[in-house]
Amino acid sequence: MAHVSLRKIVLASAVAGVIALMSLGTVGCAPKTADLSETGSGSQAEADENAAMTGDFAFSADADCTTCHSTEGDSLGDATMPASNHATQECTTCHSDIDSLATAHDGVQFGDKTPKRLKKTTIDTTACFSSGCHGSQEDLAAKTEACAILTDANGTVVNPHALPENEDHTTIDCGSCHSMHSDDAIEDTAKKACKGCHHMDVYECNTCHE
């Protein structure tokens, strides 16, 4: 009996030793809690930034627009998009309607879906001329005098920078045809802008509706 008891004691000790070793191994493989004092991923700075990126968004003229408008921000470095030619300029150079921008961002929270088109603010066309890059409206009209992009179904050609003066055309600005943050072809965007009203692709007035 003493011999059997001794064997049980030895076996029990061996099992206890194995369990102890397994416990040490488990402790050694346990994930460590992130040290927020370290730099890089999981840093205090990053934690503070993430905390700041929640809740209401406070609009200001000098805010980093690309924080939410990442698609537009990426277009500044994409040579296939017209915005890349303006990459050195501030967003508010073109989006200068600060009061309307503030209203448009009222109640916006981080994480909200970003609209694809401007609905509550406009682009001031004078910004395109005041920069000194595009000359005047007359200069542009002279450059596109032979342009045939705007040709309707009847073969009528209209100079895109010398549209007939009427009340409906006063709402057309540079952004109506020039999609700055998109690689859509100007041939498509310009024609689409016209068809918003000339839906029969006929530029002559009073030919569709009596």
Side-chain angles (χ1 to χ4, degrees):
M1 292 293 292
H3 178 68
V4 173
S5 298
L6 181 59
R7 290 181 59 186
K8 287 184 177 180
I9 293 173
V10 172
L11 179 60
S13 299
V15 171
V18 171
I19 293 174
L21 289 174
M22 291 178 63
S23 298
L24 289 174
T26 303
V27 172
C29 295
K32 295 182 179 179
T33 302
D35 184 358
L36 295 181
S37 64
E38 296 177 357
T39 57
S41 178
S43 67
Q44 184 63 53
E46 184 176 325
D48 292 342
E49 182 179 355
N50 291 337
M53 295 281 287
T54 59
D56 293 335
F57 169 77
F59 172 80
S60 66
D62 58 352
D64 182 2
C65 303
T66 61
T67 299
C68 297
H69 300 277
S70 57
T71 299
E72 289 75 12
D74 292 342
S75 71
L76 298 176
D78 188 338
T80 66
M81 301 187 187
S84 63
N85 296 320
H86 305 76
T88 60
Q89 297 178 344
E90 299 293 334
C91 297
T92 51
T93 300
C94 297
H95 300 274
S96 57
D97 191 1
I98 303 300
D99 290 340
S100 294
L101 284 172
T103 300
H105 288 87
D106 186 31
V108 171
Q109 292 189 329
F110 285 104
D112 286 351
K113 184 176 181 180
T114 304
K116 292 184 178 180
R117 294 190 62 82
L118 299 177
K119 295 180 180 180
K120 298 181 180 179
T121 182
T122 59
I123 301 294
D124 188 356
T125 299
T126 59
C128 300
F129 302 125
S130 61
S131 64
C133 297
H134 303 290
S136 65
Q137 187 71 50
E138 292 72 21
D139 292 333
L140 290 176
K143 291 179 180 178
T144 57
E145 186 176 4
C147 178
I149 287 178
L150 298 184
T151 302
D152 71 2
N154 293 334
T156 301
V157 181
V158 175
N159 185 338
H161 293 116
L163 300 179
E165 294 185 6
N166 58 52
E167 184 177 353
D168 293 328
H169 286 165
T170 59
T171 61
I172 296 178
D173 56 23
C174 300
S176 299
C177 299
H178 298 276
S179 185
M180 301 302 293
H181 300 291
S182 169
D183 59 359
D184 293 340
I186 185 63
E187 292 87 349
D188 297 330
T189 55
K191 291 279 285 187
K192 185 177 180 180
C194 293
K195 286 186 176 180
C197 294
H198 300 278
H199 49 271
M200 297 299 293
D201 196 22
V202 175
Y203 295 156
E204 186 180 358
C205 295
N206 303 317
T207 57
C208 299
H209 302 283
E210 295 182 358

